[in-house]
């Protein structure tokens, strides 16, 4: 049962949310920023999270931004994953986010909540990990800053206590230029956490980029993997096999599948995606 | 700013009516709906983990798993439960298609099907399947449920 004493605050502005967090912490409370609440509530129910106040961010207009402006695509952290898919500003993000959970849950899960989940998957982050222009707008005690994803991301988006994500953005050219494939492989059911989710892009010069979720305890991309996958002199199968040698960590064995099975599925999925991307004109 | 730090009386709009109810800040909507004050037991507790959909209600016409939303969040929103559907086509479609057995999952499926049938765009088959994948039935067949929902949605492929 969720502690009934949990206090609920809904902030109307970025400053209000920051002040609330500061005030509650200062009074020895344990606040947490609250997006869709799906993870916080399910964890609270089994006493897996030690918080006594939630600060709901969904009423803050800056977190609902959803636009294509001046060559940048901007996605507010409080957008629901169904909003992202319906507007479809970035088809690669749609294809990936639209495979998270199920349709009803995606109407509750927010983009920010998925990117900052404590779970290993965070599938909606994959497109951002392979976009050099991706930035995160973060609010914190020292004000609002826009930082490149590459600087903030190290296995997770590294936000300090009291900081929260306002929005994430990417250059339209980079987002819409390359061809892409996004594939989620699950053990049996369509709706499940991924055995592995693979996102691959190919730019007009043939350079490949890839990002993975489910392989290990965090989502990742890697320039070494991208180099191996971009070596056009080798077959897709050879490149996929080679890419597996450059994974930053061994594949996990868990309820979804053994290490060996994950490697096998990842390799053939990757090879198939390369073939599809390169075969079609 | 909205604040709820102790049990408080709030007014919720449920099935088109304003209902005064005392809620705790940490209370889920599922809990409030089923409590003595409202007694709306159509939304069912299943997994209480977001997986089964038995607790699905509509919030502003959007299917929502009520075990994963705080009641404090829904003040000023319109909540519709299965009790609020009066003779809706989807209810008859479930009967006509024998789309239930024990019935535990039924109200959740009905709410999803009703929302889809009210949607402006006519859904294609894959969309119907995608929406229905949000719910789990443990004893009857999914085909009958699909047929019931399909029968009340406009067909996007119809001329
Ligand atoms: C039924 C179900 C199925 C799921 N399936 C998948 C799946 O297939 N793939 C997958 O990747 N995930 C899946 N998830 C996990 C889900 O995407 C994450 O749990 C996500 O965190 C939920 O988003 P939320 O908005 O509800 O987050 P919340 O519960 O509100 O918050 C989650 C965490 O994010 C933090 N947070 C939220 N918003 C912000 C912000 N703007 N700035 C800073 N921190 C923030 C919170 O403080 C908290 O720590 C599933 C979850 C459910 C319930
Ligand atoms: S009880 Fe809410 S999804 Fe199962
Ligand atoms: S009819 Fe029994 S669980 Fe669906």
């Amino acid at each position: 049962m969720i502690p009934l004493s949990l206090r609920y605050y809904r902030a109307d502005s970025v400053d209000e949310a920051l002040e609330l967090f500061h005030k509650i912490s200062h009074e020895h409370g344990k606040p947490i920023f609250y997006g869709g609440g799906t993870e916080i509530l399910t964890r609270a129910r089994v006493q897996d999270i030690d918080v006594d106040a939630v600060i709901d961010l969904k009423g803050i207009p800056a977190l609902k931004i959803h636009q294509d402006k001046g060559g940048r695509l901007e996605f507010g952290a409080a957008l629901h994953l169904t909003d992202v898919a319906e507007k479809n500003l970035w088809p690669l993000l749609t294809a990936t986010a639209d495979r998270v959970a199920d349709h009803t849950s995606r109407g509750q899960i927010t983009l920010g909540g998925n990117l900052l989940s404590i779970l290993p998957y965070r599938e909606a982050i994959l497109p951002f990990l392979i976009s050099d222009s991706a930035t995160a707008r973060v609010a914190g005690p020292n004000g609002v800053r826009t930082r490149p994803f590459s600087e903030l991301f190290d296995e997770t988006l590294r936000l300090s206590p009291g900081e929260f994500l306002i929005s994430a953005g990417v250059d339209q050219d980079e987002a819409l230029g390359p061809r892409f494939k996004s594939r989620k492989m699950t053990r049996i059911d369509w709706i499940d956490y991924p055995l592995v989710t693979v996102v691959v892009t190919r730019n007009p010069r043939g350079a490949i980029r890839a990002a993975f979720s489910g392989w290990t305890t965090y989502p990742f991309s890697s320039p070494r993997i991208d180099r191996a996958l971009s070596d056009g002199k080798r077959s897709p199968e050879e490149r996929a096999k080679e890419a597996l040698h450059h994974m930053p960590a061994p594949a996990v064995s868990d309820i979804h599948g053994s290490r060996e099975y994950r490697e096998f599925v990842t390799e053939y999925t990757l090879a198939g995606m390369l073939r599809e991307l390169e075969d079609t004109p | 700013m909205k604040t709820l730090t102790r049990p408080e009386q709030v007014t919720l709009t449920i099935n088109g009516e304003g209902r005064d109810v005392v809620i705790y800040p940490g209370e889920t909507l599922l809990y409030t709906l089923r409590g003595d004050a409202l007694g709306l037991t159509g939304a069912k507790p299943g997994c209480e983990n977001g997986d089964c959909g038995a607790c699905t209600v509509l919030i502003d016409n959007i299917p929502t798993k009520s075990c994963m939303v705080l009641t404090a969040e829904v003040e000023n929103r319109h909540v519709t439960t299965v009790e609020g559907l009066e003779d809706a086509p989807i209810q008859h479609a479930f009967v006509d298609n024998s789309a239930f057995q024990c019935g535990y999952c039924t109200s959740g499926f009905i709410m999803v099907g009703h929302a889809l049938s009210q949607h402006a765009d006519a859904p294609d088959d894959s969309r119907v399947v995608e929406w229905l994948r949000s719910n789990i039935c443990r004893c009857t067949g999914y085909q009958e449920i699909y047929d019931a929902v399909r029968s009340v949605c406009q067909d996007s492929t119809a001329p």
Side-chain angles (χ1 to χ4, degrees):
Chain A
M1 171 116 192
I2 296 164
L4 292 175
S5 56
L6 192 77
R7 289 171 289 160
Y8 175 83
Y9 300 88
R10 182 165 58 238
D12 295 327
S13 68
V14 167
D15 287 345
E16 206 169 75
L18 291 171
E19 278 161 28
L20 274 168
F21 193 96
H22 176 75
K23 184 167 173 286
I24 299 167
S25 310
H26 194 69
E27 292 163 355
H28 307 293
K30 294 172 194 151
I32 189 167
F33 292 119
Y34 183 97
T38 65
E39 181 174 310
I40 294 172
L41 296 183
T42 48
R43 289 182 66 203
R45 195 178 61 82
V46 293
Q47 272 102 53
D48 177 41
I49 188 168
D50 185 20
V51 296
D52 60 13
V54 298
I55 303 171
D56 191 346
L57 302 172
K58 294 192 294 294
I60 306 176
L63 275 78
K64 287 284 191 187
I65 193 165
H66 198 180
Q67 65 184 23
D68 169 358
K69 197 169 170 198
R72 290 281 294 172
L73 308 182
E74 283 290 331
F75 302 90
L79 293 176
H80 294 117
L81 297 184
T82 43
D83 301 331
V84 171
E86 268 161 38
K87 199 153 176 180
N88 195 20
L89 289 182
W90 186 6
L92 173 58
L93 180 60
T94 299
T96 314
D98 220 23
R99 283 293 278 114
V100 170
D102 57 85
H103 181 267
T104 301
S105 299
R106 288 196 296 275
Q108 298 176 247
I109 294 171
T110 61
L111 181 63
N114 186 260
L115 301 187
L116 285 137
S117 166
I118 64 143
L119 298 176
Y121 310 109
R122 290 167 265 149
E123 290 173 83
I125 208 166
L126 299 181
F128 293 99
L129 293 185
I130 51 173
S131 302
D132 293 331
S133 63
T135 54
R137 211 159 162 247
V138 176
N142 299 322
V144 173
R145 324 166 278 156
T146 299
R147 304 254 317 266
F149 248 72
S150 53
E151 267 178 30
L152 271 180
F153 185 81
D154 179 13
E155 299 186 9
T156 64
L157 274 181
R158 303 261 165 207
L159 301 192
S160 305
E163 288 187 331
F164 66 87
L165 182 71
I166 298 178
S167 59
V170 64
D171 279 353
Q172 193 200 45
D173 287 349
E174 188 179 21
L176 305 184
R179 306 171 49 147
F180 69 87
K181 293 280 166 198
S182 174
R183 196 145 296 159
K184 176 171 184 164
M185 305 303 285
T186 54
R187 193 172 59 135
I188 300 174
D189 294 325
W190 179 260
I191 308 286
D192 199 354
Y193 290 111
L195 185 65
V196 66
T197 295
V198 186
V199 163
V200 181
T201 60
R202 181 177 192 267
N203 76 11
R205 294 180 306 283
I208 302 280
R209 300 192 73 173
F212 303 82
S213 157
W215 172 273
T216 183
T217 51
Y218 52 90
F220 62 86
S221 64
S222 142
R224 294 178 66 194
I225 297 173
D226 295 346
R227 270 196 299 277
L229 295 175
S230 301
D231 180 359
K233 292 193 281 307
R234 306 175 80 183
S235 73
E237 288 72 17
E238 287 170 328
R239 282 179 276 156
K241 195 180 214 33
E242 175 69 17
L244 261 56
H245 294 303
H246 299 291
M247 296 305 213
V252 290
S253 280
D254 63 12
I255 190 171
H256 304 292
S258 65
R259 177 171 63 80
E260 293 78 4
Y261 185 54
R262 247 191 190 88
E263 289 171 353
F264 166 73
V265 170
T266 306
E267 192 179 318
Y268 83 69
T269 303
L270 202 44
M273 292 168 85
L274 290 177
R275 202 166 276 292
E276 285 170 34
L277 274 175
E278 292 169 356
D279 279 359
T280 19
Chain B
M1 180 172 62
K2 164 77 194 166
T3 303
L4 196 74
T5 56
R6 65 176 82 88
E8 222 173 86
Q9 179 166 312
V10 297
T11 304
L12 305 175
T13 308
I14 300 177
N15 298 330
E17 281 176 26
R19 301 287 299 265
D20 293 336
V21 54
V22 175
I23 61 163
Y24 280 78
E27 194 170 314
T28 61
L29 180 59
L30 176 64
Y31 185 91
T32 309
L33 291 171
R34 294 180 57 84
D36 288 342
L38 296 176
L40 297 168
T41 55
K44 300 283 184 257
C47 60
E48 293 189 62
N49 202 39
D51 294 318
C52 74
C55 64
T56 305
V57 300
L58 307 186
I59 299 182
D60 296 339
N61 291 324
I62 295 175
T64 305
K65 295 182 181 178
S66 62
C67 68
M68 294 198 300
V69 66
L70 291 172
T71 309
E73 292 179 64
V74 306
E75 256 192 291
N76 307 321
R77 318 270 303 271
H78 289 266
V79 179
T80 309
T81 70
V82 73
E83 291 88 347
L85 303 186
E86 288 166 12
D87 243 1
I90 187 79
Q91 293 169 297
H92 293 282
F94 264 66
V95 175
D96 295 344
N97 287 276
S98 305
F100 52 88
Q101 197 166 315
C102 77
Y104 201 79
C105 67
T106 307
S107 55
F109 272 109
I110 284 188
M111 297 318 286
V112 171
H114 182 68
L116 193 54
S117 72
Q118 304 292 299
H119 221 268
D121 309 329
D124 58 17
D125 291 349
S126 65
R127 189 157 191 208
V128 176
V129 169
E130 188 58 17
W131 281 51
L132 289 178
R133 279 189 175 128
S134 306
N135 295 54
I136 292 173
C137 172
R138 281 286 177 244
C139 59
T140 191
Y142 288 105
Q143 186 63 46
E144 290 80 2
I145 297 173
Y146 172 86
D147 291 343
V149 172
R150 178 80 268 181
S151 73
V152 294
C153 293
Q154 293 175 57
D155 187 349
S156 66
T157 57

